[in-house]
């Protein structure tokens, strides 16, 4: 009788004192590759980490590695985000630090990271080149880890995983932060790996999966249930709750000119990241910012939200004032509501849900002062709107990733800002949560708010977007109107 490759029996696991997996039984046969989907918070990541031996659990998990195979007899888990460290082993960077070249020298380059990983795992560097090429990552060899965007960090972890080719590869949210071309190429690489004997478990709800994924499962009531396909309709529809009154009011604009860039250039040493950027954003406009991973989107946004130190060396106007005319970074941030994957990395995970949302009034990463009654009421209204009432006193890091994103999205809009910057805001959200948030964005922007929205997929965007700017290798490739304003 053949033994299953993965055999799980009576698995029980709690996440921050909440039972998520209960008496779970599952067999994964030799040669199978799975996609595990379902609603956010059901325990998908917890199960993946348990199989990889990264979290404590009760019960039995057995992996029957093939001793005849040339592939490493190990389970490799690629998390949805990767927290890198500097040369001294420290991971607690602050948000603006990634744009400061002096600080960047404290982290390894991509090439040095790969050399170190190759030595640790006994791999040859020449074998990683085709993977780097396929994922469009060859040009990042000299980049410091701290300079990479979330999508670029994701690519680096995928590169290392596909280079290693373990017998069991588990990838949590494999497509997070990747552009369309990178997603397609990743699926080709995953099919190639499966053809060489790698068995895959992909934790995601994405419809466009590699051909080798022929088995599907969802966690329902703490147990893993095999399904014919991953259906987004299984998500619970968010109740229709009217937007809070304080967010129905149009923002009070300090200037009709929100952003103006004239021949803006940004370089790190000899590497030019932005080249002769000319771009204007007027009050009330809704922009879509697009471009492949590494095209310069994150750097462009860092100029807009006041984080990039090289903004002083360029002709850049924010809210009617030239950058460097005496305003502080906090003066700029008073006008802006921001959410991005990078900001999520650096946010204080020990703040409660209520404190996290309230901190948006003061542009801090935690709440350090008492809120007046009116603002406290607004926090409560927004918590109700987002369906977070039961979680309001929980710690941010005790929530599943999807709900953490909703908390930070609520924080972003709490002060009804003049400019809303949403940099891939729906990473980590399931399809229903994505629709719910984008409906909120549409409601907000109908009252005159200015929007810059970064997203790779037109099917996951708000309908209010009017204009589009496309970056390619640091240059403006396209500026166009896609929806005539009324």
């Amino acid at each position: 009788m053949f033994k299953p490759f993965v055999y799980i029996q009576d698995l029980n696991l709690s996440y921050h004192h909440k039972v998520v997996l209960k008496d779970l039984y599952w067999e994964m046969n030799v040669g199978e590759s799975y996609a595990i989907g379902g609603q956010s918070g059901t325990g998908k990541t917890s199960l993946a980490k348990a199989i990889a031996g990264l979290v404590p659990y009760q019960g039995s998990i057995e992996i029957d590695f093939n001793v005849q195979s040339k592939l490493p007899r190990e389970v490799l888990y690629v998390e949805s985000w990767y927290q890198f460290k500097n040369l001294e082993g420290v991971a607690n960077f602050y948000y603006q630090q990634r744009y400061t070249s002096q600080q960047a020298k404290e982290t390894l380059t991509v090439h040095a990271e790969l050399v170190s990983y190759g030595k640790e795992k006994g791999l040859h560097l020449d074998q990683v080149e085709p993977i780097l090429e396929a994922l469009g990552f060859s040009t990042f060899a000299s980049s410091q880890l701290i300079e990479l965007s979330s999508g670029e960090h994701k690519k680096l972890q995928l590169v290392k995983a596909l280079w290693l080719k373990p017998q069991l590869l588990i990838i949590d949210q494999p497509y997070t932060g990747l552009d369309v071309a990178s997603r397609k190429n990743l699926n080709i690489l995953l099919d190639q790996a499966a053809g060489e004997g790698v068995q895959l478990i992909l934790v995601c709800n994405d419809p466009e999966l590699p051909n080798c994924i022929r088995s599907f499962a969802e966690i329902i009531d703490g147990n893993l249930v095999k399904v014919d396909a991953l259906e987004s309709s299984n998500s619970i529809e968010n109740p229709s709750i009217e937007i809070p009154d304080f967010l129905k009011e149009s923002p009070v604009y300090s200037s009709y000119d929100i952003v103006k860039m004239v021949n803006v250039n940004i370089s790190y040493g000899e590497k030019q990241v932005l080249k002769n950027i000319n771009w204007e954003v007027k009050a009330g406009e809704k922009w879509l910012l697009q471009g492949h991973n590494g095209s310069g989107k994150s750097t462009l946004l860092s100029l807009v939200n006041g984080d990039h130190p090289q903004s002083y060396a360029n002709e850049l106007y924010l809210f009617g004032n030239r950058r460097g005319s005496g305003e502080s970074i906090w003066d700029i941030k008073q006008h802006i509501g921001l959410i991005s994957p990078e900001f999520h990395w650096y946010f204080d995970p020990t703040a409660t849900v209520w404190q996290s949302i309230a901190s948006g009034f003061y542009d801090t990463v935690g709440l350090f002062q008492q809120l007046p009654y009116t603002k406290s009421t607004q926090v409560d209204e927004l918590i109700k709107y987002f369906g977070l009432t039961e979680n309001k006193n929980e710690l941010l890091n005790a929530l599943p990733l999807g709900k953490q994103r909703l908390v930070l999205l609520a924080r972003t809009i709490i002060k009804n800002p003049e400019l809303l910057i949403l940099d891939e805001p729906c990473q980590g959200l399931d399809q229903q949560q994505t629709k719910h948030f984008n409906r909120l964005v549409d409601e907000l922007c109908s009252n005159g708010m200015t929007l810059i929205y970064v997203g790779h997929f037109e099917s996951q965007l708000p309908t209010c977007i009017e204009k589009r700017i496309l970056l390619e290798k640091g240059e403006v490739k396209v500026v166009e109107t896609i929806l005539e304003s009324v």
Side-chain angles (χ1 to χ4, degrees):
M1 182 177 180
F2 292 104
K3 291 179 64 177
F5 179 53
V6 178
Y7 180 72
I8 302 176
Q9 190 171 24
D10 298 326
L11 178 64
N12 289 273
L13 192 151
S14 296
Y15 182 78
H16 285 274
H17 309 295
K18 178 185 177 183
V19 175
V20 290
L21 304 178
K22 184 174 177 61
D23 300 327
L24 185 144
Y25 173 87
W26 185 47
E27 292 185 3
M28 178 178 174
N29 295 320
V30 174
E32 283 186 321
S33 285
Y34 262 85
I36 299 178
Q39 295 177 41
S40 175
T42 54
K44 303 185 296 293
T45 293
S46 295
L47 174 61
K49 288 184 174 180
I51 295 173
L54 299 176
V55 294
Y57 59 85
Q58 293 178 316
S60 173
I61 299 178
E62 299 178 14
I63 313 291
D64 187 29
F65 292 113
N66 181 0
V67 295
Q68 308 297 326
S69 173
K70 295 181 180 179
L71 301 180
R73 294 193 293 274
E74 64 177 277
V75 180
L76 179 63
Y77 171 72
V78 178
E79 55 192 323
S80 55
W81 299 357
Y82 175 70
Q83 184 64 61
F84 63 93
K85 297 180 180 181
N86 67 9
L87 298 178
E88 296 178 354
V90 177
N92 57 334
F93 299 93
Y94 57 87
Y95 178 61
Q96 290 85 7
Q97 194 170 346
R98 65 190 300 262
Y99 303 112
T100 307
S101 58
Q102 183 178 357
Q103 299 286 358
K105 294 175 183 177
E106 294 183 2
T107 62
L108 290 174
T109 64
V110 169
H111 177 74
E113 174 79 1
L114 291 174
V115 169
S116 175
Y117 187 76
K119 287 182 179 179
E120 177 190 347
K121 298 295 185 180
L123 303 171
H124 298 289
L125 269 178
D126 57 346
Q127 295 174 334
V128 78
E129 289 300 330
I131 304 171
L132 292 169
E133 187 70 29
L135 290 179
F137 210 60
S138 298
T139 59
F140 288 86
S142 61
S143 298
Q144 307 285 333
L145 296 184
I146 199 172
E147 295 172 354
L148 302 182
S149 68
S150 62
E152 290 155 7
H153 270 290
K154 186 73 176 188
K155 281 188 179 182
L156 180 56
Q157 305 322 306
L158 292 169
V159 165
K160 293 195 289 188
L162 292 163
W163 187 17
L164 178 64
K165 293 188 177 69
Q167 290 194 26
L168 178 56
L169 175 56
I170 305 174
I171 309 178
D172 198 346
Q173 304 299 333
Y175 307 106
T176 294
L178 301 187
D179 56 49
V180 176
S182 296
R183 288 186 176 209
K184 291 180 179 178
N185 287 336
L186 174 60
N187 282 344
I188 293 171
L189 291 169
L190 290 173
D191 279 332
Q192 291 173 351
E196 295 178 42
V198 176
Q199 291 191 228
L200 301 169
I201 298 176
L202 305 185
V203 179
C204 65
N205 287 299
D206 295 85
E208 297 181 10
L209 297 167
N211 295 326
C212 63
I213 301 292
R214 299 189 181 94
S215 300
F216 309 91
E218 295 183 357
I219 297 177
I220 301 174
D221 297 328
N223 229 299
L224 199 62
V225 179
K226 191 166 184 177
V227 295
D228 292 332
L230 300 180
E231 299 288 346
S232 61
S233 59
N234 287 342
S235 295
I236 298 174
E237 179 72 45
N238 287 286
S240 179
I241 301 175
E242 188 174 0
I243 191 171
D245 287 339
F246 75 93
L247 290 177
K248 293 179 181 178
E249 301 174 4
S250 178
V252 179
Y253 283 106
S254 55
S255 171
Y256 179 67
D257 298 307
I258 303 299
V259 179
K260 183 178 180 181
M261 297 184 182
V262 181
N263 295 325
V264 167
N265 291 274
I266 298 294
S267 298
Y268 300 124
E270 296 181 358
K271 180 181 179 181
Q272 191 164 6
V273 181
L274 294 179
K275 306 173 186 177
N276 299 321
I277 302 294
N278 290 279
W279 186 34
E280 292 187 33
V281 177
K282 302 295 185 182
E285 291 182 340
K286 290 84 179 173
W287 281 86
L288 174 63
L289 170 59
Q290 290 187 312
H292 295 304
N293 297 129
S295 61
K297 301 188 301 296
S298 295
T299 302
L300 185 70
L301 291 181
S302 72
L303 292 170
V304 176
N305 61 44
D307 287 323
H308 206 295
Q310 292 187 41
S311 60
Y312 299 105
N314 283 278
E315 189 174 348
L316 169 64
Y317 302 85
L318 300 176
F319 307 99
N321 297 312
R322 179 157 182 171
R323 193 74 171 96
S325 58
E327 80 291 348
S328 72
I329 185 174
W330 303 112
D331 292 330
I332 293 171
K333 290 185 180 297
Q334 286 177 2
H335 304 277
I336 298 173
L338 165 72
I339 185 65
S340 71
E342 290 81 11
F343 184 78
H344 195 167
W345 280 351
Y346 301 112
F347 198 82
D348 180 8
T350 63
T352 66
V353 168
W354 199 94
Q355 292 169 337
S356 299
I357 295 174
S359 71
F361 282 119
Y362 306 107
D363 304 303
T364 57
V365 293
L367 186 63
F368 306 107
Q369 55 186 292
Q370 190 77 23
L371 253 63
Y373 174 78
T374 302
K375 289 185 176 180
S376 294
T377 301
Q378 291 175 347
V379 175
D380 290 334
E381 290 176 357
L382 206 49
I383 282 176
K384 181 180 179 182
Y385 182 83
F386 272 98
L388 295 165
T389 302
E390 294 181 355
N391 310 110
K392 64 182 293 184
N393 295 317
E394 293 184 48
L395 296 180
L396 182 65
N397 67 351
L399 301 181
L401 178 60
K403 282 196 172 183
Q404 288 186 40
R405 299 290 295 176
L406 288 178
V407 170
L408 294 184
L409 292 170
R411 176 194 179 276
T412 300
I413 61 174
I414 188 66
K415 62 183 179 183
N416 199 11
E418 296 169 55
L419 174 60
L420 195 59
I421 300 177
L422 304 178
D423 184 359
E424 299 195 54
C426 297
Q427 282 192 17
L429 303 187
D430 61 33
Q431 293 183 39
Q432 210 64 359
Q433 289 171 325
T434 298
K435 291 178 183 177
H436 179 57
F437 177 71
N438 283 334
R439 281 198 299 268
L440 169 61
V441 174
D442 283 329
E443 283 197 67
L444 281 171
C445 291
S446 68
N447 292 298
M449 186 175 290
T450 309
L451 173 68
I452 300 176
Y453 194 110
V454 180
H456 292 299
F457 300 93
E458 277 70 10
S459 61
Q460 299 176 2
L461 300 175
T463 60
C464 66
I465 290 173
E466 306 163 342
K467 299 175 181 291
R468 173 176 176 257
I469 178 171
L470 173 66
L471 296 184
E472 185 175 298
K473 296 179 180 179
E475 298 182 271
V476 175
K477 188 72 173 178
V478 175
V479 174
E480 62 182 350
T481 297
I482 57 179
L483 176 67
E484 294 294 341
S485 57
V486 179

